[in-house]
Amino acid sequence: DAKTTQPNSMESNEEEPVHLPCNHSTISGTDYIHWYRQLPSQGPEYVIHGLTSNVNNRMASLAIAEDRKSSTLILHRATLRDAAVYYCILRDVDPSGSARQLTFGSGTQLTVLP
Amino acid sequence: GAVVSQHPSWVICKSGTSVKIECRSLDFQATTMFWYRQFPKQSLMLMATSNEGSKATYEQGVEKDKFLINHASLTLSTLTVTSAHPEDSSFYICRPGQAEEGEAFFGQGTRLTVV
């Protein structure tokens, strides 16, 4: 699996936007960029994913660089509940139709300050 | 509502005993189940991949005789930690596999403490 690189930790003030970066310079043309987050003592939770175009959903926005070698997860207004470890993961779709595992890196620990 | 149900959410057991963790896929049939383990302040590590009706595939360094996986139906997979030791204390998480692209769903996790 192609590797991703994220900062170990970031801080944000409550109600301010947060930009979480991810580098994936070895991404292949068929890799989707996925973001998951994990709150303490819980399983990971899906945030957003995309392939080439920027994506928006109710949780966040995903900005993908034109060369796809990096991406940024944007939380528009951080809340205390957004404090979590955020994982940027590349996921390929198996052409045989088999399920593919997700390889987790170390992620970014986001601290939200009140 | 929850798509994946994992039980128990936490368990404390004595050394030498066995513990069973259940993972149910509620909204879709899971031919494949992924089991992860997460030690404190570390990331999730894949332990094994199970396919319904066949033997599980274990990652390097994971003892298949210690971590027994049963995937007898498309909605239920179990992980049994046999003869548990304190070093098996960890957070265990399941994830039903999906072939198509899109959101992946994880179990809530099971915190195992072996005393």
Side-chain angles (χ1 to χ4, degrees), chain B residues 4 7-11 19 29-30 34 39 52-53 55 58 60 64 66 70 73 76 81 92-93 99 108-109:
Chain B
V4 182
H7 291 281
S9 57
W10 61 270
V11 58
V19 173
Q29 295 183 328
F34 300 103
F39 292 107
E52 186 261 340
K55 288 184 179 181
Y58 291 81
Q60 192 172 9
K64 62 180 176 63
K66 182 174 185 59
N70 183 292
S73 78
L76 175 64
V81 183
Y92 293 86
I93 305 166
Q108 303 93 319

Side-chain angles (χ1 to χ4, degrees), chain B residues 65-108:
Chain B
D65 294 329
K66 182 174 185 59
F67 298 98
L68 302 180
I69 292 174
N70 183 292
H71 193 159
S73 78
L74 291 173
T75 58
L76 175 64
S77 177
T78 61
L79 168 67
T80 301
V81 183
T82 63
S83 186
H85 290 150
E87 56 264 32
D88 298 324
S89 299
S90 189
F91 194 53
Y92 293 86
I93 305 166
C94 65
R95 175 177 82 87
Q98 301 150 266
E100 63 278 4
E101 184 47 43
E103 178 177 358
F105 300 94
F106 291 81
Q108 303 93 319

Side-chain angles (χ1 to χ4, degrees), chain A residues 47-61:
Chain A
V47 178
I48 200 166
H49 79 286
L51 184 62
T52 57
S53 303
N54 295 344
V55 184
N56 299 297
N57 66 20
R58 64 175 178 80
M59 288 183 71
S61 294

Side-chain angles (χ1 to χ4, degrees), chain A residues 34 36 38 43 91 97 100 102 105, chain B residues 38 43 95 98-99 101-102 104:
Chain A
H34 282 245
Y36 286 79
Q38 187 179 22
R91 185 182 182 193
R100 296 292 288 265
L102 293 171
Chain B
Q38 185 176 33
S43 189
R95 175 177 82 87
Q98 301 150 266
E101 184 47 43

